[in-house]
Amino acid sequence: MRQFVYPLAALLFISCTLVGCSREMVESIYNVDFEPSNRFAKNLARLPGQYQKDTAALDALINSFSGNIEKKWGSREIKIAGKRNYVKYIDNYLSRTDVNFDTGVIMVETVASTEPKQHLKNAIITTLLTPDNPSQVDLFSSQNIQLKGQPFLYKQVVDQDKQPIQWSWRANRYADYLIAHHLKTKEVDFKKAYYVEIPMVEDQVEIRSYQYANIVRKASQRYGIPEDLIYAIIKTESSFNPYAVSWANAYGLMQVVPKTAGRDVFNLVKNRSGQPSPKYLFNPENNIDVGTAYFYLLKTRYLKQVNNPISLEYSMISAYNGGTGGVLNTFSRDRSRAVRDINRLQPNQVYWALTKKHPNAESRRYLEKVTQYKKEFNKH
């Protein structure tokens, strides 16, 4: 543990509070050993772990799923859904769709050896008409999708006439157009694959975000968490992809981990036993509610002793990604001391420490991204 003479530390902190500290001074104060420690004050709430890995069940599912993919596509062509891409297999794994929300490109492809164009057409139509209901779509099988209700990609893709695709007749016509004018082939594991690439509209992220405006507003009012913060978290976590799933066994728009954040919200906010299921979290309204409720816990329980509201928000954002322990360990391995240190710093100094000295590089970038997205949201 870090050691220095306390009176000197007190003088430094008084100086920081009154006139502000330089970046170098803050860094010298927080030149700490980032090894974890369990020697925390007993009177504080326990440390939650929003992103503590919970991969046992998911690993077993993915291993079986990957084996089925490899049989059809080979070991070099295994694609699985993530936080920012939607991947769905159909047709006994012969056809698949990969929607990349970062690049705004959708690839639909098939390795069917008989009537490949027909298999590809069916896959295109399925992609265009996949419903906006993630709880009804099994991402980890080749189970077919019931094509009913509002399509998930409605208005995010337009056909050759620049019209959005909502009905089967328009999806059929656009599929025929793509195959006639934009069909490509490639070699996949010694097989010939047929595919098309479909561009998404430029404002596809904004279009998705608008779908959740009412849900975000209700969650904001229910838990006292600002709307712009909720939007920024969703954009950072999933780019408004309700089908998002991650390595940490996190699901949906706000990437909630059932066993940690989900269980905490069920037990401490909703007075329910157990934890939310993936199906529960794939429902956008449930997901935003649970994710926002977890911010409520960070604000009112886990980080409640942080006094400055701006410093508190920076700490909450960082904790949502890397846990409360990561936030506190940035300042001291002694938890009570860490809280005191945070309260003695100006908000801009807390931000600097969390984006420069946090023990986890992903969490350092995470706070930067969320605060930037908040600024972008408030420009509109």
Side-chain angles (χ1 to χ4, degrees), residues 31-325:
N31 184 22
V32 299
D33 177 1
F34 291 127
E35 288 299 314
S37 169
N38 292 322
R39 291 176 290 179
F40 297 132
K42 294 181 180 179
N43 63 326
L44 295 174
R46 66 184 180 82
L47 290 175
Q50 154 70 344
Y51 275 81
Q52 175 184 334
K53 287 187 180 181
D54 174 27
T55 59
L58 186 63
D59 281 348
L61 176 62
I62 294 297
N63 287 338
S64 173
F65 182 51
S66 298
N68 289 323
I69 299 169
E70 186 174 353
K71 290 175 185 176
K72 296 293 195 301
W73 295 84
S75 59
R76 296 184 179 182
E77 281 280 343
I78 295 175
K79 294 182 180 180
I80 296 174
K83 292 174 66 171
R84 293 175 173 273
N85 70 313
Y86 162 89
V87 177
K88 177 65 178 121
Y89 291 81
I90 61 170
D91 197 16
N92 194 27
Y93 295 94
L94 289 173
S95 304
R96 69 183 177 192
T97 294
D98 181 359
V99 181
N100 189 316
F101 296 107
D102 283 337
T103 63
V105 176
I106 302 168
M107 177 179 284
V108 187
E109 51 191 338
T110 186
V111 288
S113 57
T114 58
E115 299 184 334
K117 291 182 180 180
Q118 185 59 49
H119 284 268
L120 183 60
K121 179 179 178 178
N122 291 339
I124 295 170
I125 294 169
T126 297
T127 301
L128 297 172
L129 298 180
T130 291
D132 189 16
N133 187 355
S135 64
Q136 301 301 314
V137 178
D138 185 355
L139 293 176
F140 300 112
S141 79
S142 65
Q143 181 179 331
N144 288 335
I145 302 170
Q146 278 193 297
L147 305 181
K148 61 180 183 179
Q150 179 90 321
F152 165 56
L153 292 173
Y154 180 59
K155 294 185 178 180
Q156 298 174 61
V157 175
V158 293
D159 65 11
Q160 67 271 32
D161 298 324
K162 306 300 180 184
Q163 296 299 311
I165 302 161
Q166 187 172 15
W167 310 110
S168 59
W169 68 267
R170 191 176 287 278
N172 269 272
R173 194 180 70 151
Y174 188 40
D176 287 334
Y177 169 82
L178 289 168
I179 291 171
H181 296 90
H182 298 284
L183 182 65
K184 300 178 182 178
T185 61
K186 62 181 180 180
E187 292 296 319
V188 172
D189 196 36
F190 305 107
K191 294 187 287 287
K192 189 175 185 178
Y194 291 76
Y195 70 100
V196 295
E197 292 178 311
I198 307 171
M200 302 177 75
V201 298
E202 287 188 9
D203 58 344
Q204 41 107 358
V205 176
E206 287 73 19
I207 290 172
R208 284 196 303 282
S209 72
Y210 297 150
Q211 299 177 31
Y212 309 114
N214 290 335
I215 300 174
V216 169
R217 187 172 300 113
K218 284 194 296 184
S220 172
Q221 294 170 350
R222 183 179 298 123
Y223 298 111
I225 304 298
E227 286 185 46
D228 59 353
L229 176 57
I230 301 172
Y231 274 111
I233 292 292
I234 296 173
K235 185 171 182 178
T236 304
E237 289 290 351
S238 66
S239 195
F240 295 93
N241 169 20
Y243 293 89
V245 61
S246 82
W247 58 272
N249 202 10
Y251 298 93
L253 291 163
M254 295 186 74
Q255 286 292 277
V256 178
V257 179
K259 192 175 181 179
T260 51
R263 184 184 293 274
D264 282 353
V265 168
F266 265 30
N267 296 344
L268 300 175
V269 179
K270 298 185 176 297
N271 295 317
R272 295 177 56 173
S273 61
Q275 64 190 49
S277 66
K279 183 175 182 179
Y280 181 93
L281 292 173
F282 275 133
N283 178 293
E285 186 161 6
N286 294 340
N287 191 281
I288 293 173
D289 177 80
V290 173
T292 307
Y294 188 72
F295 264 101
Y296 171 80
L297 285 177
L298 291 171
K299 179 180 180 179
T300 62
R301 185 181 178 91
Y302 300 132
L303 292 166
K304 66 179 181 180
Q305 293 186 325
V306 176
N307 297 329
N308 186 287
I310 300 175
S311 296
L312 175 59
E313 182 168 294
Y314 291 150
S315 300
M316 289 161 52
I317 293 168
S318 187
Y320 192 84
N321 177 262
T324 303

